[in-house]
Amino acid sequence: MINLTINGQEKAVEVDPATPILWVVRENLEMNGTKFGCGIAQCGACTVHLDGQPVRSCSTPISQAEGKSITTIEGIADEDGTLSKVQQAWIDVQVPQCGYCQSGQIMSATALLTKNPSPTDAQIDAAMAGNVCRCGMYGRIRQAIKIAAGIEQPTTKETIA
Amino acid sequence: MTIARALPLLSLILLAACSADPVPGPTEQIIVREPGDAAVETAVATPEADPELALIAAGKAAFANCSACHAIVADAANGVGPTLYGMIGKPAGAVDGFAYSDALNASGIIWTAAELDAFIANPAAKIPGTTMVAGALAEPEQRRAVIAYIESLSAS
Amino acid sequence: MSDAETMADSPKKKGKWTRRAFIGAGVVAGGALVVGVAVRPGNPIDRLSPMLANGQDEQLLNAWVKVGADNVVTAVIPHVEMGQGVYTALAQMLADEMDADWATVRILEAPADKKYVSDSIGRDFLFPDLEVPEIFEPTVAGGILELAQAMGLQFTGGSFSVRATGQRAMRTAGAAAREMLIAAAASEWNVPATEITTENSMLSHAKSGKSEPFAKFATAAAEQSLPAKPKLKSPENYKLMGKPLARHDIPEKVDGSAVFGIDANVPGMKYAAVKAAPVVGATVASMDASAAKAMPGVLQILNMGDFVAVVADGYWQAQQALNTIDTQYSKTEGDDLNLDGLFARYDSYLNDAGDDGGDIETEEGDVADAFVRATTKVEAEYKVPFLAHATMEPMNCTAWVRDGKCDVWSGHQAPVNARQAAADAAGLDFEDVTYHNAYLGGGFGRRSEKDNIEMAVRIAKATGYPVKMIWSREEDTMQDHYRPSATSRFQGGLDADGKAVSWSNIHTHLFDPQEAPTVPYYNIANHKIRKVDVPTHLRFGPWRSVDHSQHGFFIESFVDEMAHAAGKDGYAFRRELLAGSDRHLKILDLAAKMSGWDQPLPEKHGRGIAFVPSFGSIIAQVAEVDMSGAKPKVKKIYVAADAGFVVNPDGFIAQMESAIVYGLTATLYGEISIKNGAVQQSNFHDYQMLRINEMPEVEVQIINGDHKRLGGGGEPGLPPLAPAVTNAIFAATGTRIRELPLSKHSFA
């Protein structure tokens, strides 16, 4: 039996301690927002926070989370359902396309802004380079992080020539 | 411009109307148990009396942090990372056939328990430019255990 | 069927039924349910209604729109959402014509049913250039509809959703619904229909001051006959079309609640991990599962002949157990094949074809004569590798086969096709299968295949309980249906003025679209394009922009080489080739202007231009590349696009950005190689993806060149990217890249 806290709730799960956090969250706790992408910590789709630190849940065994606090995409909005600044910026910039990688992107961006409320482009690149987006929304991700940080304001561009 | 091809529609319609080949079932079906049946009791390891063996056992369990990328048997194929078997005492970048980062090759490190401890605590801080992007272990106890386990497979 | 056959056999046909057209023809959707089905006996609404309406208080006005008692207008979208924004764009088109209140419009994906098929895509694929006289429209539509139903397919791809389904079906459906509501209100209020106006889901009559919501007349409207030819708005009256409206699917994609195929949750389901024979066509000769049997959580181990599956309480347990199984495979003819050997085989087929062999695709004038008489002769050979799709969501499918019924959950580009595949795999009738479609975690063509559906159903049939099968990333990479590798050879001739007078090309494979290797938009008097089919054991599949992905690179590289041989600038040379085509020239000029084509660049920097019309859209791109380091750095991509009329500009721009990243990933890194018949790459560490730190700046400008002929958005942004980049590398370094990816080349 492994005791952990997930999105503020205490849970006990009966699993092999070597099981990656990803599969415990998805299958045992039935929270599907965290995604499986590669299984080897190369794509970031599975990113969750462990005591506030972003980790690749596909390659981190649940034993690592014993007695710690896991935060997933389902746990970053306010309790009243108000979206976090990062989530709201993601909507403002219309970041997601297929959306599959976005839970991981948002978790990485959230961790970045917690540690560094005003990141430079290079710092954004460094923090987000572990998250792959096959729909290629990197430009929008960068812009959304700046908007969430208050560095930039949402803009509308004239695009019809 | 002329376009010199046109498949007759009818042949495709007939093709579509053909029923698919019968789809094969299993040629071999091993039923270990039915859902809901109690899982087969797996042997519960008795706690090691020897503290050193206990540390190695703890390290073996904690190696789950590493095993997605690294094997730890002799002559294992390289995965995302190189095999870690027998690495203690060897220079960084020693496993044949693995494409190490330039940074790691140039590091000049000889892997000792202390060097390895610093590396897996924060790979990018110890060797900026390493391609090891995951698997950092924040807790000293866990690092000690994993290193003990790796050492146990280096000495033999 | 007779109409379709007549059409196909008529001398003016450009019948192009290709492999993908075969899929595409099934598609869904169309004004057909208004114009096509309406002329057929029986009222289709009666049969469709139970599938869509969820109670007494909703009225289905036609197959594409329902109105609830709460005055909520729901658009029924016959395509799947894979991030291309199709739910929103199609709903925009319907709601605009209907004058529905956008704030309350809802979206429903059409059920995976054969009744949701129609003419639009089938006809475009079959007769892309055929203008059907309006008077025959119902007949043609009806014929193709029947054809499509016979195929029993449904598909999202080919960048067709907006330009075919949207333009021909959603708008017509919205306009028809509006006219039916007006007719019902006119009757009830006893006023002329022409005096009734509509806005924000309300009907109003100014003279009497009457104003009521759509819902009040929904029941009466549903009893009105379908208007034969509802009047569509002209562009100056568009209220929603052409606006960058926020996408409907985005909110649930930022809080983790969006349900993808892999998120299916069926009570009592178990999990399967699978490993297929590494060489396609091989079978499992023997399997040693002794270790796997003792692994925790394992329920069953299955040798399915072509693959091995482990079913367990959890996916990770299943995968761990699968990793311990020692499997031997049968020998196949593909076992000896390596990538070099395959390219050598391409060469030998191309050599055998010589100057006159192979299949002629297009021919005009006398290429041989023009080439002999040309002042300057240019020859080049290009190569591209196999490419995997690498959707972020690995292939998966959940299935439950029991009591003569089958339920299937996945995210598929062709839900009707998936349902049929499940029926075939389960040995059941189509009607006994319920297919539940979810969001696609990336499609790009990969989710139009049926292999994952069949595998999951076969496993579930063997177990009897519901099973969620998930492919590992390794399996996803190694068992794809790949963009073909290809070799393409060119000969071009220039006259004394440096004008292109002949263009000859022979290449391996032709998949789809058929026009991909052709250059009808370039003024070259003599041209001849041929192909040779070369057998390989690998599976090909449609990959974003399909054959345009390689031919865009081949053609636009060779045009650049001809320009250089003519001593001309690549932009100026293309201007000559496009003389007389105003729409084309506008786009080329816009891209050049955006990029500051004539402005100097720093040393070791270069600009490259490429121009590729595809999927009905005209796109030019200029790439700016920095070659001062060891690796090419793509700094900026300028995109000029004419897609006829862009329904949702922000969504269209997002598609351009997306296609650029997809294309740039392939240009820089993309290569699937073969050793001993098996794919060598397995995961993102050896099949590298573009990441945020390599993202170029992207600037897009749109020209709405023809509001009646819409072009696609999902694919056409890709083909010009690779040649724009390699032409820029040539400009910066003088090195001509004739083989992709760039990671094969050294620039130090």
Side-chain angles (χ1 to χ4, degrees), chain C residues 101-237:
Chain C
D101 177 9
W102 183 249
T104 60
V105 167
R106 286 200 197 137
I107 288 162
L108 182 70
E109 186 175 312
D113 196 276
K114 290 176 184 176
K115 296 179 187 79
Y116 267 94
V117 287
S118 89
D119 74 321
S120 59
I121 289 189
R123 199 172 61 205
D124 242 21
F125 264 95
L126 285 170
F127 316 113
D129 305 319
L130 185 66
E131 292 291 338
V132 180
E134 285 187 5
I135 192 167
F136 293 132
E137 185 114 334
T139 330
V140 173
I144 303 286
L145 170 70
E146 193 166 318
L147 189 65
Q149 284 181 326
M151 314 295 270
L153 303 169
Q154 182 186 24
F155 185 68
T156 298
S159 299
F160 267 92
S161 304
V162 166
R163 59 188 173 127
T165 309
Q167 185 75 341
R168 295 196 193 142
M170 305 313 293
R171 291 185 62 194
T172 312
R178 175 176 169 276
E179 288 185 11
M180 290 156 79
L181 286 161
I182 287 175
S187 167
E188 167 86 15
W189 289 341
N190 201 19
V191 301
T194 50
E195 291 179 4
I196 294 177
T197 57
T198 47
E199 192 174 9
N200 285 337
S201 300
M202 298 288 289
L203 292 144
S204 303
H205 183 249
K207 282 188 192 164
S208 63
K210 287 192 170 75
S211 187
E212 296 279 2
F214 283 177
K216 182 168 164 65
F217 299 102
T219 310
E223 287 162 6
Q224 302 284 324
S225 59
L226 284 164
K229 264 196 145 332
K231 191 172 184 314
L232 302 184
K233 288 183 178 178
S234 51
E236 63 272 19
N237 295 323

Side-chain angles (χ1 to χ4, degrees), chain C residues 371-384:
Chain C
F371 187 66
V372 167
R373 292 197 287 124
T375 312
T376 309
K377 298 174 171 55
V378 190
E379 296 188 70
E381 177 182 291
Y382 305 92
K383 288 179 184 178
V384 294

Side-chain angles (χ1 to χ4, degrees), chain B residues 1-7 9-10 12-13 15-16 20 23-35 79-80, chain C residues 8 15 17 126 147 270 293 297-303 313 361-364 424-425 458 462 465 514 520 527 685:
Chain B
M1 181 183 296
T2 56
I3 300 211
R5 90 198 80 74
L7 282 168
L9 291 181
L10 194 61
L12 281 151
I13 293 156
L15 194 83
V23 177
T27 58
E28 200 178 345
Q29 182 170 20
I30 302 167
I31 299 177
V32 179
R33 65 187 169 86
E34 293 297 334
V80 172
Chain C
W17 199 309
L126 285 170
L147 189 65
K270 301 300 173 187
K293 279 193 281 194
V298 172
L299 293 161
Q300 292 202 9
I301 297 153
L302 298 160
N303 173 357
D313 290 327
E361 294 173 329
T362 65
E363 183 170 16
E364 195 165 286
D424 292 343
R458 286 166 65 195
Y465 44 80
Q514 302 290 298
H527 52 102
H685 67 290

Side-chain angles (χ1 to χ4, degrees), chain C residues 229-383:
Chain C
K229 264 196 145 332
K231 191 172 184 314
L232 302 184
K233 288 183 178 178
S234 51
E236 63 272 19
N237 295 323
Y238 292 171
K239 287 182 185 148
L240 301 173
M241 286 186 277
K243 298 270 189 324
L245 302 179
R247 286 208 347 245
H248 267 243
D249 55 322
I250 283 185
E252 57 186 314
K253 289 177 175 175
V254 305
D255 65 7
S257 63
V259 175
F260 295 83
I262 202 170
D263 300 328
N265 194 350
V266 183
M269 74 183 173
K270 301 300 173 187
Y271 299 85
V274 294
K275 179 164 178 53
V279 181
V280 173
T283 54
V284 178
S286 70
M287 159 180 108
D288 177 0
S290 48
K293 279 193 281 194
M295 302 269 289
V298 172
L299 293 161
Q300 292 202 9
I301 297 153
L302 298 160
N303 173 357
M304 301 300 297
D306 47 342
F307 68 95
V308 171
V310 174
V311 182
D313 290 327
Y315 167 73
W316 186 75
Q317 293 173 313
Q319 188 64 50
Q320 296 299 108
L322 182 67
N323 293 346
T324 70
I325 295 178
D326 184 15
T327 315
Q328 305 295 319
Y329 301 96
S330 66
K331 298 266 172 271
T332 76
E333 286 180 11
D335 289 355
D336 300 328
L337 195 66
N338 293 341
L339 190 62
D340 288 350
L342 187 60
F343 276 111
R345 190 187 290 175
Y346 293 170
D347 283 343
S348 106
Y349 274 70
L350 290 165
N351 293 342
D352 288 350
D355 291 336
D356 291 309
D359 302 326
I360 295 174
E361 294 173 329
T362 65
E363 183 170 16
E364 195 165 286
D366 188 339
V367 166
D369 178 61
F371 187 66
V372 167
R373 292 197 287 124
T375 312
T376 309
K377 298 174 171 55
V378 190
E379 296 188 70
E381 177 182 291
Y382 305 92
K383 288 179 184 178

